[in-house]
Amino acid sequence: MIKNTASIIEVKERIKNLQEQSVEVTLNLGRNKFVKFSGVVKGVYPALFTVLPLDKDFKGKTSYSYSEYMCGRVKLNNINGTAE
């Protein structure tokens, strides 16, 4: 179920504006399981974006599609306090 009413173009623009900035990532893994970590948005590509975790021991997926963001599976919060 898509929760975000923004178009894919608007979502891509939001994430592009976060490039090279520190963010807190919240992943919804389903069944009330969530993972939070801090990282830096490194790459913004046509089909996905990547986040470089600041914790070197983090073992997990660090590339996400825009649809995961639109559906609420991935949430990005700018460390400065701006929710995206």
Side-chain angles (χ1 to χ4, degrees):
M1 179 166 130
I2 297 178
K3 296 180 181 180
N4 197 336
T5 59
S7 71
I8 189 75
I9 295 167
E10 293 168 345
V11 168
K12 286 181 180 183
E13 190 64 32
R14 284 184 199 167
I15 294 174
K16 186 176 182 179
N17 290 337
L18 289 174
Q19 192 167 10
E20 298 300 327
Q21 294 186 24
S22 296
V23 294
E24 182 180 272
V25 180
T26 304
L27 300 174
N28 182 350
L29 301 176
R31 296 191 175 220
N32 294 323
K33 295 178 190 154
F34 294 89
V35 174
K36 284 188 176 187
F37 67 92
S38 296
V40 176
V41 177
K42 278 298 190 185
V44 178
Y45 304 102
L48 56 92
F49 62 96
T50 60
V51 178
L52 177 67
L54 297 177
D55 181 11
K56 298 300 179 194
D57 295 328
F58 182 82
K59 292 179 176 47
K61 182 179 174 187
T62 59
S63 61
Y64 308 100
S65 69
Y66 298 107
S67 63
E68 289 177 307
Y69 178 83
M70 291 178 72
C71 292
R73 187 168 184 270
V74 177
K75 293 182 183 177
L76 301 176
N77 291 323
N78 195 338
I79 298 287
N80 299 335
T82 307
E84 290 293 328

